[in-house]
Amino acid sequence: MANNDKQLMFTRNIGIMAHIDAGKTTTSERILFYTGLTHKIGETHDGTATMDWMAQEQERGITITSAATTCYWKYNNQQYKINLIDTPGHVDFTAEVERSLRVLDGAVATYCAVGGVQPQSETVWRQADKYNVPRLGYVNKMDRSGADYYDVLRQMKEVLGANPISLVCPIGSEETFKGIVDLIKMKAVIWHDETQGAEFEITDIPADMADEVEEWRGKLLEAVAEFDESLMEKYFEDPESLTEEEIMAAIRKGTLSMECTPVICGSSFKNKGVQTLLDYVCAFLPAPNDTPNIVGTNPATGEEEDRKPSEDAPTSALAFKIATDPYVGRLVFFRVYSGKVASGSYVYNTRSGKKERVSRLFQMNSNKQVPMEAIDAGDIGAGVGFKDIRTGDTLCDEEHPIVLESMSFPDPVIGIAVEPKSQADVDKLGIGLAKLAEEDPTFTVHTDEQSGQTVISGMGELHLDIIIDRLKREFKVECNQGKPQVNYKEAITKTVNLREVYKKQSGGRGKFADIIVNVGPVDEDFKQGGLQFVNEVKGGNIPKEFIPSVQKGFESAMKTGVLGGYPVDSLKVTLLDGSFHPVDSDQLSFEIAALNAYKSACVKAGPVLMEPIMKLEVVTPEENMGDVIGDLNKRRGQVEGMDETRSGARIVRAMVPLAEMFGYVTALRTITSGRATSSMEYDHHSPLSSTIAKTVLEEIKGRTDLV
């Protein structure tokens, strides 16, 4: 047992999270190289990165799926095991980051030394806050022109509200960047370019940097003293009396309690700084037994239970990703929180209530599998042989069932109609789409009732592009695709009171239900969306067993609105009164009455069409600024703020409807002669003006008379 705990102490489950192009994959590649997993360094821009193994990733030079890999690093004469997940930076694949953070214990937040804190850096930071993941900051690309380490620290403070503690001072910057001063050890580390940074020398601090180092060392000691009271006294007596061990222990304490983020810098591409990063991952980020016990609910009693990360505890694991491998079939990635999962054993799936046999287990090294006998508590692995499993399922011991919280994913915002080019491919298309939807929870497939078309929806144009590309390559299906459709929603603006009577008499037993309801917008404090159902029926005018049917009727009716058949996001229904017939009333009658009441109420309750609004950020040279803003105004955009970067470029932040943003990247290139870049993410849905709503509804032959 002691052995297992010891093992846990030296395990790190970490992810690398950042904005597009901050250098996540390049950093991961260097980690694999220095830990001896790869003998040749892969490059993203050549398409040879180990972690980006999908053909689409190699072509585009971006990460799409989170690749998991296991490597070993020696630190303080101890062998550490690092499970590393390289996450995507592109906003269309936010879900991948979300589910990776759910199962990680710590993360390395990477920033570009030139770009600083970018929009997606904020998104991933918020996601890490949501799952309480301690972070280590790494400022990459120190060798690029315009790199400014201290400015990134400032941005982390201002934009993210973080408390960054710099552990290093860079020696030189831009093309002269050659090493760092370690403020803990008070030594300079200089990397040699000739040996790809694998060799470095430790020397004294350069004389011309003495003042700067002094200043930042003072800031570090001051910050450290705050996390430990005993050090505080020592610090006040003599700041220099703090030993290296004490400083390290205090920083670790501050990092685990998420009070601070230690930051270092380097240039992964030039192989500088990655070894220091690995050392500090082992030093400051949590081991599985440093994190709080995982809490879940017992499905039988509904009470909360927790499981500690040890082998003796009953087994619990969370499936956080499903990938289809051409050779072994469906590969399920899971994190074991307690107990262990052994090859050939049975585990219980609490969602389906079935036992599943785990036929084989693997530890992943990017897309190569290393067979394992068992995966212990605190570790991440992959298994095959599961019949029925989805993302977010809990696998546990049948005697001690537990449901770990599943993950919530954002709704898709954009859809396109697809049809196979030949009739023979119809079945293949269905199978392919079903497999992809199983892998990716933000991708949905549905058939449009009116036109009979298959519509696929996802998080953005790139997301759907890749789905269609995967259909072509993996499932050999050629598709024709329609023009992109925006996922509108509907809402109502007024509260309506009405009575709905449903009766049918056709000889024999009839149907009868009578309900009086208020239908209107949800209360302001009701945040979770969906149906807010309030039952105010007194004295058994409607029997208790029929009330859920009324609720169910409204819930299913919300999927189609009255204007154009778009879903209604939120609705408040108050059931006031009603009556029933002792013979003719049944559950179905009340369900149908609720459906009819919904249709009648929504027509009167001032229905509006809601469209998705995107948060856009454009980085443009000053001279093109006017044209960019003029173009956004044409697209019904609202400019919310402008900033200036150090290099003189302007950052424009705006809210723009998605409907106006198709093909924006191409238009932006044309306006600025290819000098501007943009990134956007979904923000919220907002009501459309009646003239535009009419145009939208005319296209789909919806009810234009109501807007």
Side-chain angles (χ1 to χ4, degrees):
M1 178 62 216
N3 185 24
N4 178 267
D5 271 356
K6 197 166 165 202
Q7 219 179 326
L8 274 182
M9 235 170 83
F10 300 121
T11 303
R12 297 287 180 270
N13 296 317
I14 62 159
I16 294 185
M17 51 176 223
H19 187 80
I20 313 157
D21 276 350
K24 292 180 294 296
T25 305
T26 308
T27 309
S28 311
E29 289 300 322
R30 299 306 185 264
I31 292 177
L32 299 191
F33 175 73
Y34 291 126
T35 53
L37 273 182
T38 50
H39 300 292
K40 175 181 167 288
I41 292 186
E43 296 298 359
T44 323
H45 49 86
D46 297 339
T48 54
T50 322
M51 299 294 263
D52 287 353
W53 50 272
M54 284 168 65
Q56 295 82 346
E57 296 183 306
Q58 293 180 353
E59 281 168 19
R60 297 165 194 247
I62 60 169
T63 308
I64 296 170
T65 60
S66 321
T69 193
T70 304
C71 54
Y72 295 90
W73 181 249
K74 222 170 167 103
Y75 169 69
N76 269 353
N77 300 322
Q78 268 298 340
Q79 180 96 328
Y80 281 78
K81 174 180 184 182
I82 299 177
N83 291 319
L84 173 78
I85 296 188
D86 174 27
T87 63
H90 207 286
V91 60
D92 288 15
F93 309 107
T94 315
E96 281 288 329
V97 184
E98 185 99 5
R99 50 181 163 186
S100 308
L101 285 172
R102 169 75 178 78
V103 296
L104 292 173
D105 299 324
V108 176
T110 311
Y111 300 99
C112 164
V114 185
V117 175
Q118 293 161 291
Q120 195 58 20
S121 324
E122 292 179 55
T123 312
V124 290
W125 189 268
R126 285 200 302 276
Q127 284 173 320
D129 280 341
K130 181 169 149 190
Y131 293 115
N132 294 327
V133 177
R135 286 139 274 186
L136 181 71
Y138 173 60
V139 178
N140 187 19
K141 304 198 178 183
M142 284 298 295
D143 56 320
R144 284 207 16 217
S145 63
D148 184 341
Y149 172 65
Y150 298 118
D151 193 64
V152 179
L153 289 178
R154 180 190 62 76
Q155 288 184 24
M156 281 177 75
K157 231 189 205 102
E158 287 177 8
V159 179
L160 302 172
N163 176 17
I165 294 184
S166 178
L167 308 180
V168 297
C169 281
I171 305 174
S173 84
E174 302 182 357
E175 61 274 5
T176 59
F177 174 70
K178 58 178 185 236
I180 55 173
V181 172
D182 187 326
L183 296 173
I184 300 175
K185 297 187 176 72
M186 286 304 271
K187 286 281 186 218
V189 181
I190 309 282
W191 286 283
H192 296 307
D193 278 340
E194 334 39 281
T195 59
Q196 287 194 314
E199 286 176 18
F200 50 86
E201 61 178 316
I202 294 179
T203 62
D204 290 331
I205 297 166
D208 57 345
M209 284 182 68
D211 295 346
E212 181 183 353
V213 168
E214 189 80 0
E215 177 193 349
W216 283 94
R217 165 90 173 173
K219 286 185 182 172
L220 171 69
L221 293 178
E222 193 179 328
V224 163
E226 282 179 19
F227 301 124
D228 198 325
E229 282 179 14
S230 57
L231 293 188
M232 192 71 122
E233 290 164 22
K234 250 179 118 173
Y235 169 76
F236 279 134
E237 281 166 26
D238 175 16
E240 290 307 317
S241 64
L242 299 186
T243 64
E244 196 181 305
E245 284 75 37
E246 287 176 329
I247 295 175
M248 295 288 272
I251 296 176
R252 181 173 174 102
K253 193 172 161 188
T255 311
L256 295 190
S257 62
M258 292 183 51
E259 286 173 47
C260 72
T261 309
V263 185
I264 60 168
C265 64
S267 159
S268 301
F269 181 51
K270 293 281 176 46
N271 312 302
K272 295 173 182 173
V274 176
Q275 301 96 323
T276 321
L277 176 68
L278 280 166
D279 283 349
Y280 285 158
V281 161
C282 301
F284 301 134
L285 286 182
N289 47 5
D290 291 323
T291 53
N293 292 355
I294 182 89
V295 176
T297 31
N298 182 334
T301 60
E303 286 177 17
E304 281 199 353
E305 291 183 9
D306 65 345
R307 298 280 160 92
K308 71 175 203 288
S310 91
E311 221 173 282
D312 293 356
T315 303
S316 65
L318 183 78
F320 65 96
K321 180 173 166 63
I322 297 170
T324 314
D325 187 282
Y327 302 109
V328 295
R330 191 191 288 167
L331 197 62
V332 178
F333 287 83
F334 55 85
R335 153 93 192 249
V336 181
Y337 284 103
S338 58
K340 65 176 189 185
V341 175
S343 179
S345 66
Y346 282 91
V347 285
Y348 177 71
N349 182 342
T350 43
R351 179 187 58 81
S352 63
K354 293 190 182 100
K355 278 178 31 182
E356 295 265 13
R357 185 169 179 267
V358 186
S359 50
R360 281 183 297 163
L361 286 172
F362 302 107
Q363 209 126 49
M364 298 302 287
N365 182 346
S366 173
N367 64 333
K368 297 183 189 59
Q369 295 118 2
V370 181
M372 300 287 281
E373 283 301 304
I375 291 183
D376 300 328
D379 219 344
I380 292 177
V384 271
F386 295 97
K387 301 266 183 309
D388 171 24
I389 191 160
R390 294 187 200 155
T391 305
D393 280 359
T394 307
L395 308 171
C396 56
D397 183 346
E398 195 173 8
E399 307 294 296
H400 303 89
I402 189 167
V403 179
L404 304 174
E405 77 167 314
S406 63
M407 293 160 272
S408 54
F409 295 110
D411 290 338
V413 290
I414 168 176
I416 52 173
V418 289
E419 56 180 33
K421 283 192 176 164
S422 66
Q423 203 51 42
D425 285 346
V426 173
D427 290 348
K428 273 189 286 316
L429 178 72
I431 295 166
L433 288 173
K435 275 201 171 156
L436 291 171
E438 192 176 77
E439 266 182 48
D440 182 350
T442 56
F443 167 66
T444 55
V445 183
H446 74 273
T447 308
D448 189 310
E449 289 175 7
Q450 291 161 344
S451 60
Q453 287 174 317
T454 304
V455 177
I456 57 174
S457 312
M459 298 306 292
E461 285 182 269
L462 176 71
H463 188 185
L464 295 180
D465 239 11
I466 283 167
I467 294 262
I468 287 177
D469 197 41
R470 286 185 64 184
L471 280 174
K472 191 160 103 192
R473 287 190 198 197
E474 292 168 34
F475 302 96
K476 311 284 184 281
V477 181
E478 294 275 348
C479 296
N480 294 326
Q481 34 183 336
K483 72 175 203 320
Q485 301 161 356
V486 178
N487 285 0
Y488 292 102
K489 285 181 179 170
E490 292 182 25
I492 56 174
T493 51
K494 300 184 226 152
T495 301
V496 176
N497 173 282
L498 83 162
R499 179 170 193 168
E500 186 68 43
V501 181
Y502 173 68
K503 57 179 185 208
K504 212 168 177 185
Q505 207 63 49
S506 54
R509 191 173 165 195
K511 296 262 185 217
F512 179 81
D514 164 25
I515 54 174
I516 300 174
V517 285
N518 280 345
V519 178
V522 288
D523 299 343
E524 278 183 14
D525 53 358
F526 185 77
K527 290 285 185 266
Q528 60 259 46
L531 177 66
Q532 182 185 1
F533 186 75
V534 183
N535 172 21
E536 290 184 357
V537 177
K538 303 276 186 307
N541 286 349
I542 301 177
K544 279 202 176 61
E545 63 266 29
F546 296 150
I547 302 266
S549 305
V550 176
Q551 186 171 351
K552 187 179 162 198
F554 275 106
E555 272 172 1
S556 59
M558 282 170 69
K559 292 179 183 146
T560 48
V562 290
L563 292 172
Y566 297 110
V568 174
D569 210 22
S570 59
L571 190 70
K572 180 179 179 182
V573 172
T574 313
L575 181 59
L576 301 168
D577 203 1
S579 62
F580 73 108
H581 187 283
V583 177
D584 289 354
S585 288
D586 57 2
Q587 286 172 334
L588 186 64
S589 308
F590 276 94
E591 205 172 309
I592 296 172
L595 275 164
N596 295 342
Y598 167 84
K599 283 180 186 152
S600 330
C602 286
V603 171
K604 296 173 191 159
V608 285
L609 206 55
M610 311 276 278
E611 63 173 346
I613 304 288
M614 308 300 276
K615 183 170 156 192
L616 173 79
E617 187 156 297
V618 182
V619 179
T620 168
E622 180 121 15
E623 54 264 34
N624 303 103
M625 180 97 158
D627 298 342
V628 168
I629 289 177
D631 178 63
L632 286 176
N633 290 338
K634 268 199 291 232
R635 295 174 185 270
R636 301 195 280 124
Q638 283 183 336
V639 176
E640 296 218 317
M642 288 173 228
D643 286 339
E644 194 168 350
T645 62
R646 279 184 323 277
S647 53
R650 289 299 186 91
I651 304 171
V652 181
R653 293 192 174 85
M655 291 285 182
V656 195
L658 175 69
E660 307 286 341
M661 292 309 281
F662 295 124
Y664 181 66
V665 176
T666 323
L668 186 65
R669 278 185 197 144
T670 317
I671 302 170
T672 62
S673 336
R675 290 170 67 193
T677 56
S678 68
S679 61
M680 67 176 184
E681 56 182 309
Y682 167 71
D683 195 77
H684 64 282
H685 269 73
S686 97
L688 267 169
S689 69
S690 56
T691 40
I692 301 171
K694 275 200 170 81
T695 326
V696 171
L697 291 170
E698 268 164 13
E699 267 184 37
I700 60 159
K701 302 191 173 52
R703 293 196 55 180
T704 47
D705 54 319
L706 294 176
V707 290

